[in-house]
Amino acid sequence: MQHPQIENLMTEVTPLKPRRKRRIFSQTFIFVLVTFAVLFCMKKEGSAKQISQWEWEGIPRVVAIGDVHGFYIKLVSLLQGTGLISSGLAWTGGEDHVVLCGDMLDRGPDERAVLDLVMRLQNEAKAAGGQVHALLGNHDVLNLVKDFRYIHPKGFADFAQDEREEDRQKAWKKYKAVFSKKGINESQLKDVFDERYPPGYFARLIAFEIEGQYGSWLLNLPAIIKINSVAFVHGGLRTEVAELGIEKINSEIRESIRTYMTASKRLENLLDEPPSFSELNKIAHAVERGIFHGRSVNRGQTLAARSIVKELEALPFSPEGPLWYRGNSLRNQRIEDVPLKESLKHLGADALVVAHTPTGSGEITARFAGNVFRSDVGMAYGRKPLALVIIDQKFDVFNPADPTPGLIHNEPIAEEEWSKIMEQLPDTQMEEFLLKAEVKSVETHERRGRKFRIVVLERKGLRLRAVFLGDKERIRKMKAGQIGRFRRYQHEVASYLLDRELGLIMVPVTVTRKIDGQRGALQVWLESATDMKRLKQYTEKSEEEIVEDFRGKYKQQVDQAYILAALFDVQERFDAGKMFLPEEERIMLADNTKAFSISPEIQERFHSEIRGPLSASLEYSLRSLKSNELQTLFKSLLSKNQIDALLKRCDQILDLYAGQSE
């Protein structure tokens, strides 16, 4: 029944003409549409809103993606599969939010394509009422500070078309003036330069500067955000960091990186070669300690060096910082539970989504009864891409190969292995960790009649296992014609130093330290490394066939490993896959304690493995080894006789390669 007032109103209305009826109908329709739009906007404003610079509430759907690492095709498959972009790569996600949880860069072949896509989608999503959030990861910061250890070769090639010839020529002229050496002609030196600084290198440097195309964008990205009471961060959070709050964490990280980049620019004139993170750090520490003996240093450069040393302890670079911390992912849940709850309380969050540390299963997993979700499934290591989808506080997994929402499995309370991949801290910071970290436990193991100790170390939120080698066999006087190979921890440290001098990075970081009153070599333990025995368990191939397979896929690494082993004159341990890191796809050489004899000859078993061609960079490094410089490098680790023998083996290796190329 109608309301009486409406009935009275209707009886008083004069019948309308058809045209006027259509006009009133149109006006009414428009009014209804406008009213609906206003109500919709009011509803939208009330449910989905930004409450601070880095916090949002009422977002209908959130899609979180772990480390992309330059794998563009995998990223696109996730975005398209979740309906966020079209087949033409345009934004179709409406009001949805996407969170890329850091590490867009390094390892993969299409970093630039990833950056360009994300930067474009940010604008398109915002125009549609949605958001594309890209968080800073440790690898993104490494590129800002010129640490290029993990860049895929295509990562430089993609910038080749942007490189200015004058920039390349300027760098080459300076390099030639500094590094021209006897026995190396200009053409050979140019090959070394081009190998170390491939086409695109200098354009990439510029692109990631403070004002560069990508550097300026990366510098303004947050390290942490919060959406619908869920916090997102790349590595993880310690309570001491979480209590700073989201705004302060982001501002401190941004300012620290900017300070480092500005200071490092002031030190570039002190370098003999194009700037890199490792060289800048060496110079900064030398200037800060007053032991730099190169060019004259002005006050501004001294202040810049101090600034760099200080910032290396700050949030963007610290193992306990939000870009590096792995405790939320790996620490035993009984130990980490209370600190995690405190962190969430400081942020006003119910859950935390992290990346950085690949899950052991290659699946998205939950910890702490759903308070932590691990989104890094190891896409960069050949695993399938997966995304975490959050709707109304319900967490599901999207797999492009199976459109049915997948369940998230809870991890057991016990911790996972801490070193599934080799820790990515720079050598200087890893050395400091090994020297200063607290010894939490020591376990003695025996293998093949040898005793060695596994040491658990912890410092500033970083926890790693290391191998302690205390071998110090007394050097006996040898009769004429005898060759002595003695097992000594000093040889392990010398192996690490020589490896870095050659620029190969095939020996784990090693330092000299006392453990339980005994001095020895303390070396990062490569827990996930495999050896030839284990590899043979998964194949019917012979050891020779496995070695040949390695030569096919990892030819340069295998060749370098044999050269290094021959140079060390190592005994009782070496084959192509002895220390292979599957996820990193890297060959490593450890246990070099029985090495560095006084024999000038390379061992017969290495003769057949010395194959050409030798890379220009390694050949130059080998030819650059000089007795006086090595004595300074090794100090008391090797005797002069050992160094002289090493140099003679080096000459033999160069002669063998020269003979094969003739």
Side-chain angles (χ1 to χ4, degrees):
M1 184 174 176
Q2 287 181 322
H3 193 283
Q5 288 184 340
I6 295 179
E7 286 185 323
N8 293 336
L9 181 62
M10 292 181 67
T11 59
E12 295 174 4
V13 173
T14 305
L16 300 175
K17 295 180 181 180
R19 183 178 297 175
R20 191 178 175 192
K21 283 183 180 179
R22 287 195 297 271
R23 186 167 64 249
I24 291 177
F25 176 79
S26 299
Q27 291 172 342
T28 304
F29 181 72
I30 292 171
F31 174 80
V32 170
L33 281 179
V34 171
T35 302
F36 178 81
V38 171
L39 290 173
F40 178 78
C41 289
M42 289 174 64
K43 180 182 178 183
K44 179 180 176 183
E45 184 181 354
S47 59
K49 62 182 179 181
Q50 184 171 356
I51 60 175
S52 75
Q53 186 177 5
W54 308 115
E55 298 178 75
W56 292 260
E57 285 183 352
I59 306 305
R61 184 175 70 143
V62 181
V63 178
I65 299 172
D67 301 31
V68 174
H69 277 309
F71 282 86
Y72 174 79
I73 293 175
K74 290 184 178 181
L75 172 61
V76 168
S77 73
L78 292 174
L79 295 175
Q80 288 181 333
T82 50
L84 294 166
I85 63 173
S86 67
S87 58
L89 306 182
W91 177 258
T92 54
E95 300 175 356
D96 291 347
H97 282 217
V98 179
V99 184
L100 297 172
C101 297
D103 279 3
M104 293 171 283
L105 296 168
D106 285 344
R107 303 194 190 283
D110 298 308
E111 301 164 287
R112 193 170 190 180
V114 168
L115 294 180
D116 290 342
L117 175 65
V118 174
M119 291 168 72
R120 175 173 61 79
L121 289 178
Q122 279 192 330
N123 295 326
E124 293 181 11
K126 195 170 184 178
Q131 289 275 0
V132 173
H133 306 280
L135 304 184
L136 272 180
N138 60 305
H139 279 268
D140 306 315
V141 174
L142 290 180
N143 276 268
L144 285 171
V145 297
K146 300 179 177 62
D147 189 338
F148 299 147
R149 289 175 294 163
Y150 303 97
I151 292 179
H152 189 281
K154 194 169 178 287
F156 293 119
D158 281 347
F159 287 85
Q161 61 184 7
D162 300 335
E163 192 164 80
R164 297 180 302 188
E165 184 60 26
E166 56 265 33
D167 292 335
R168 191 165 191 82
Q169 286 302 314
K170 181 180 178 181
W172 159 237
K173 287 179 181 177
K174 181 177 180 180
Y175 190 86
K176 180 174 61 174
V178 173
F179 293 101
S180 293
K181 294 182 184 290
K182 187 177 180 180
I184 302 283
N185 61 43
E186 184 174 317
S187 175
Q188 290 173 312
L189 188 61
K190 185 64 164 62
D191 289 340
V192 175
F193 177 82
D194 290 338
E195 188 176 291
R196 292 182 177 177
Y197 312 104
Y201 185 95
F202 299 101
R204 183 172 177 130
L205 276 180
I206 293 171
F208 284 87
E209 293 284 5
I210 290 178
E211 303 298 332
Q213 178 185 2
Y214 300 112
S216 59
W217 177 71
L218 287 169
L219 271 171
N220 287 304
L221 296 182
I224 180 171
I225 62 172
K226 188 174 73 170
I227 306 173
N228 298 347
S229 298
V230 178
F232 299 81
V233 69
H234 177 63
L237 285 175
R238 285 172 59 86
T239 306
E240 296 85 348
V241 176
E243 65 186 7
L244 296 174
I246 292 175
E247 178 61 41
K248 192 166 185 181
I249 291 172
N250 286 331
S251 63
E252 282 197 15
I253 286 178
R254 181 171 57 251
E255 290 309 310
S256 178
I257 299 169
R258 187 178 291 273
T259 298
Y260 180 96
M261 294 174 72
T262 302
S264 65
K265 201 74 179 171
R266 292 175 183 156
L267 293 189
E268 288 184 8
N269 287 338
L270 300 179
L271 298 176
D272 291 329
E273 55 195 284
S276 67
F277 184 67
S278 60
E279 290 302 314
L280 284 165
N281 286 350
K282 287 179 185 176
I283 293 291
H285 280 89
V287 171
E288 193 261 348
R289 294 169 186 167
I291 58 173
F292 178 68
H293 302 299
R295 301 172 181 82
S296 59
V297 179
N298 58 43
R299 177 171 171 74
Q301 289 168 329
T302 300
L303 293 175
R306 291 174 184 169
S307 182
I308 285 175
V309 172
K310 178 184 176 183
E311 294 306 328
L312 286 174
E313 295 287 329
L315 285 183
F317 309 101
S318 170
E320 67 180 345
L323 309 185
W324 295 89
Y325 184 59
R326 299 187 191 272
N328 302 146
S329 293
L330 298 177
R331 191 184 292 275
N332 187 298
Q333 296 182 48
R334 290 191 181 94
I335 298 173
E336 188 76 357
D337 184 58
V338 172
L340 172 68
K341 286 178 179 175
E342 285 296 313
S343 296
L344 292 174
K345 184 179 178 181
H346 285 302
L347 299 176
D350 298 325
L352 180 68
V353 175
V354 299
H356 184 49
T357 305
T359 58
S361 62
E363 304 288 340
I364 292 176
T365 59
R367 306 190 82 215
F368 306 96
N371 288 133
V372 169
F373 294 87
R374 299 178 61 192
S375 65
D376 184 6
V377 295
M379 283 192 282
Y381 308 108
R383 291 174 173 175
K384 62 191 176 188
L386 298 173
L388 179 66
V389 181
I390 311 171
I391 303 176
D392 294 329
Q393 300 301 308
K394 186 176 183 297
F395 293 74
D396 291 313
V397 175
F398 171 75
N399 180 353
D402 182 3
T404 306
L407 297 176
I408 298 175
H409 298 286
N410 286 307
E411 292 185 15
I413 291 176
E415 65 189 52
E416 274 198 350
E417 292 180 37
W418 272 81
S419 297
K420 274 295 182 185
I421 59 174
M422 192 165 63
E423 193 57 57
Q424 299 140 15
L425 288 172
D427 289 346
T428 51
Q429 287 176 269
M430 186 59 76
E431 288 174 16
E432 184 177 25
F433 173 83
L434 291 174
L435 288 168
K436 297 182 179 180
E438 180 185 356
V439 176
K440 306 298 287 188
S441 66
V442 181
E443 293 181 3
T444 301
H445 296 261
E446 187 169 339
R447 186 180 180 187
R448 296 177 185 174
R450 279 188 66 205
K451 288 184 178 180
F452 62 95
R453 279 170 274 184
I454 301 298
V455 183
V456 177
L457 301 166
E458 188 165 2
R459 182 174 187 255
K460 294 186 175 181
L462 177 62
R463 186 175 179 225
L464 288 177
R465 294 183 180 94
V467 180
F468 180 74
L469 303 166
D471 301 299
K472 192 176 181 182
E473 188 176 351
R474 186 174 64 85
I475 298 177
R476 300 182 298 276
K477 189 174 182 180
M478 306 303 297
K479 295 179 181 179
Q482 283 187 313
I483 298 169
R485 291 189 180 90
F486 303 98
R487 195 177 295 284
R488 294 170 64 81
Y489 75 79
Q490 292 93 332
H491 298 160
E492 196 69 57
V493 182
S495 298
Y496 165 67
L497 294 175
L498 182 57
D499 168 73
R500 294 310 193 266
E501 186 73 11
L502 297 173
L504 296 179
I505 315 181
M506 302 189 84
V507 176
V509 177
T510 311
V511 300
T512 301
R513 179 174 172 175
K514 272 188 177 181
I515 300 291
D516 291 340
Q518 182 183 8
R519 187 173 294 278
L522 190 63
Q523 183 177 81
V524 174
W525 186 24
L526 304 177
E527 299 187 49
S528 62
T530 187
D531 57 26
M532 196 62 73
K533 271 188 179 177
R534 290 179 185 172
L535 287 174
K536 286 193 288 188
Q537 293 175 1
Y538 301 100
T539 178
E540 298 297 322
K541 295 180 180 179
S542 66
E543 186 170 318
E544 290 74 19
E545 289 174 321
I546 294 174
V547 172
E548 285 306 311
D549 285 347
F550 265 84
R551 279 211 176 273
K553 191 172 183 180
Y554 308 108
K555 181 184 184 306
Q556 186 177 39
Q557 287 195 62
V558 174
D559 288 345
Q560 290 172 347
Y562 275 117
I563 289 170
L564 205 53
L567 198 60
F568 293 167
D569 194 35
V570 70
Q571 187 171 335
E572 294 183 356
R573 190 240 80 239
F574 184 73
D575 51 54
K578 179 68 176 181
M579 297 296 289
F580 180 68
L581 296 171
E583 290 180 314
E584 293 272 333
E585 294 194 311
R586 297 185 64 183
I587 294 172
M588 303 293 289
L589 304 181
D591 194 3
N592 302 297
T593 52
K594 202 163 189 178
F596 296 108
S597 76
I598 58 172
S599 170
E601 305 289 332
I602 65 172
Q603 296 178 47
E604 187 62 34
R605 62 196 174 114
F606 293 125
H607 274 262
S608 61
E609 304 300 340
I610 303 297
R611 307 180 184 184
L614 188 64
S615 71
S617 182
L618 182 53
E619 180 181 357
Y620 177 82
S621 296
L622 291 171
R623 292 190 184 280
S624 299
L625 296 179
K626 304 298 179 187
S627 180
N628 59 337
E629 294 173 1
L630 290 179
Q631 287 182 54
T632 301
L633 177 69
F634 294 135
K635 296 178 182 176
S636 60
L637 297 172
L638 299 180
S639 68
K640 187 176 184 305
N641 288 340
Q642 287 176 300
I643 292 172
D644 290 342
L646 185 158
L647 290 171
K648 288 175 181 176
R649 291 193 296 271
C650 179
D651 290 339
Q652 276 201 41
I653 291 169
L654 290 169
D655 289 342
L656 281 170
Y657 270 99
Q660 289 189 10
S661 61
E662 289 175 358

